[in-house]
Amino acid sequence: MRSFLPLIRSEWRLLLFGFMMMFCSSFGQTFFIGLFGGDIRAELGLGHGDFGAIYSGATLASAALLLWSGALIDRLDLRHYACLVAAGLSAGCLLLAASTGPLLLFFAFFALRHLGQGLMGLAGPTAMVRYLPEQRGKANALSGMGFSFAEALLPTLAIALLAGLGWRQSWVFWGVLLLLTAPALSLLLLRGHRDRHRDYLQTLQAGDDAQAGPRQKQWTRAEVLRDARFYLFLPALLAQPVLFTGFIFHQVPLVEAKQWSLSAWAALFVFYALVNIACKLLAGLLVDRFGAVRLVPVVSLPLGLGLLALASSDQFAAAWVFMGLMAVSVGTYSTLSSPFYSELYGTLHLGSIKSLTSAAMVFGTAIAPILMGAMIDRGVSMDAMAVGGLGYTLLASALALAAVRRPAPPA
């Protein structure tokens, strides 16, 4: 931890901005929305498959729009970008609270997914690798702890509010809180950002990009699409968000199938977050020392082992193992994903490039809930789906290893 202190002392404002963006993105993340799934389905009369279809449809629409909107972070002032996204996400919370049928529910999920998981989740990591290139691993780890704190705190708070206020009033509370805090804090923490961004552009124009040596090639999105390595790495980069989303979105039927207590399950998120934070910090050190690209082939393997444990036992100890190993993969992935793209492709068009990969990720996270929901309705067990997830992680890791060994195309 001592090696993080100089960075914290010198860049605490920017790090805290990234922390806040990652924390607030949780309102559009599956682990949070999924906690309200049972109450929303019951009140609106939706089955598992119907609810998953609405959620997945909204997520797919979010992925399509993200191909355009994700590049906004390359063009807009970061302060304006953060305020607009926070205001929109707040509106999404209020729209969900007002939903009375499938159509409004679709638009509410679309707003939460696009503005939370998509655009707000893009802001923190992009700022870290763009403006703190020499310590991008540690910076991304520290800012990413905002998401870990949210995973630790929000499930318990959400269940408490759900019991006391109901799901509609809970979402009103979160929407108003977000609107009153996030824009003001963004403006405060990004004071002097114009000068920082000007210095960043001057550094690139001078051809001395500190993050990968002199004159690193700044890839465009079109060039990335022609790079075979991108497609070999992609399954490993998608494994964690897709499998995490599928199982956490359907966490209520998972808990019911295993005959576990939902309250005990929710309490596991504190353990999950602690492991996640430790792995974020460790991954930050490893990224700065060895590079993010070399770590990609192993990032999904702990999650695969966790799925194996989940499929092997109905004892609550399996839940501890699953959540702990999932936290290892999630923490490592969240730290290395943005440094990975900046190592391979530079930072000038990072928003545009990450919008492409984020769209693929969002597309995958859209398919997982509807596919798993349909399988649950047809009687497929959660254990069988866990075994399938294990097979995917092994294949994805093998493809990523092949990509690491593949030479880069000529500049």
Side-chain angles (χ1 to χ4, degrees):
M1 185 64 186
R2 185 175 300 173
S3 63
F4 289 87
L5 294 179
L7 176 62
I8 295 172
R9 282 195 294 263
S10 62
E11 298 290 351
W12 66 271
R13 287 182 183 275
L14 186 62
L15 292 171
L16 192 54
F17 167 77
F19 181 100
M20 180 188 67
M21 289 289 102
M22 295 307 297
F23 185 96
C24 294
S25 74
S26 300
F27 299 114
Q29 298 284 355
T30 300
F31 84 89
F32 186 74
I33 298 173
L35 293 169
F36 300 87
D39 293 85
I40 296 174
R41 283 190 294 104
E43 185 167 332
L44 300 186
L46 300 171
H48 289 290
D50 296 331
F51 186 67
I54 294 169
Y55 188 81
S56 296
T59 305
L60 286 172
S62 168
L65 183 59
L66 195 61
L67 291 172
W68 171 80
S69 61
L72 291 175
I73 198 170
D74 294 333
R75 300 196 294 267
L76 292 179
D77 185 296
L78 186 59
R79 296 165 296 181
H80 301 157
Y81 176 94
C83 291
L84 289 172
V85 170
L89 184 58
S90 173
C93 294
L94 299 177
L95 182 60
L96 180 57
S99 296
T100 55
L103 185 60
L104 281 179
L105 187 64
F106 172 87
F107 285 113
F109 282 160
F110 170 79
L112 292 173
R113 299 293 278 162
H114 187 70
L115 294 161
Q117 181 198 37
L119 297 184
M120 188 166 280
L122 187 64
T126 300
M128 296 305 106
V129 300
R130 180 171 282 168
Y131 301 116
L132 301 172
E134 294 181 338
Q135 302 184 82
R136 58 190 168 198
K138 291 193 284 288
N140 212 35
L142 290 170
S143 68
M145 287 172 63
F147 192 69
S148 300
F149 271 74
E151 289 174 317
L153 296 175
L154 290 182
T156 302
L157 292 175
I159 289 177
L161 281 176
L162 189 59
L165 299 177
W167 70 271
R168 293 186 185 277
Q169 289 77 13
S170 295
W171 280 99
V172 171
F173 172 83
W174 298 119
V176 172
L177 181 66
L178 183 65
L179 184 62
L180 293 178
T181 57
L185 286 174
S186 296
L187 295 175
L188 177 65
L189 295 172
L190 291 176
R191 282 193 308 178
H193 175 72
R194 183 174 301 176
D195 294 335
R196 182 195 296 273
H197 188 67
R198 184 191 63 236
D199 293 342
Y200 160 75
L201 293 177
Q202 289 175 349
T203 299
L204 290 186
Q205 290 168 359
D208 185 23
D209 189 354
Q211 51 185 305
R215 300 189 183 280
Q216 181 191 18
K217 174 178 170 59
Q218 302 295 319
W219 293 61
T220 65
R221 184 160 67 183
E223 291 171 328
V224 171
L225 287 171
R226 294 193 293 270
D227 182 15
R229 297 173 302 164
F230 171 75
Y231 300 100
L232 291 173
F233 278 121
L234 195 58
L237 294 168
L238 294 180
Q240 176 271 318
V242 169
L243 293 173
F244 176 87
T245 297
F247 281 91
I248 295 303
F249 182 79
H250 292 290
Q251 59 188 298
V252 173
L254 170 63
V255 169
E256 292 173 350
K258 295 289 187 178
Q259 297 184 340
W260 296 334
S261 164
L262 184 59
S263 298
W265 170 264
L268 279 181
F269 277 93
V270 177
F271 165 70
Y272 164 88
L274 293 174
V275 177
N276 192 313
I277 290 171
C279 290
K280 275 184 168 68
L281 296 175
L282 177 60
L285 295 173
L286 294 175
V287 165
D288 287 343
R289 183 169 182 179
F290 300 108
V293 174
R294 296 181 182 179
L295 299 178
V296 173
V298 300
V299 70
S300 63
L301 293 180
L303 175 56
L305 293 175
L307 290 170
L308 178 62
L310 190 67
S312 302
S313 175
D314 290 342
Q315 299 297 316
F316 196 65
W320 283 87
V321 175
F322 171 66
M323 292 293 276
L325 290 173
M326 183 168 63
V328 174
S329 282
V330 174
T332 306
Y333 167 83
S334 63
T335 297
L336 69 81
S337 58
S338 290
F340 164 80
Y341 294 114
S342 66
E343 282 181 23
L344 280 185
Y345 304 125
T347 59
L348 184 60
H349 306 290
L350 186 60
S352 177
I353 294 168
K354 281 210 68 183
S355 69
L356 172 69
T357 56
S358 295
M361 180 267 291
V362 173
F363 179 85
T365 60
I367 295 299
I370 190 171
L371 181 61
M372 289 184 65
M375 287 192 290
I376 291 171
D377 288 341
R378 285 166 174 75
V380 179
S381 70
M382 299 298 290
D383 291 345
M385 287 185 272
V387 172
L390 168 62
Y392 176 82
T393 61
L394 296 175
L395 176 61
S397 296
L399 292 174
L401 183 60
V404 171
R405 294 176 176 177
R406 186 182 182 92

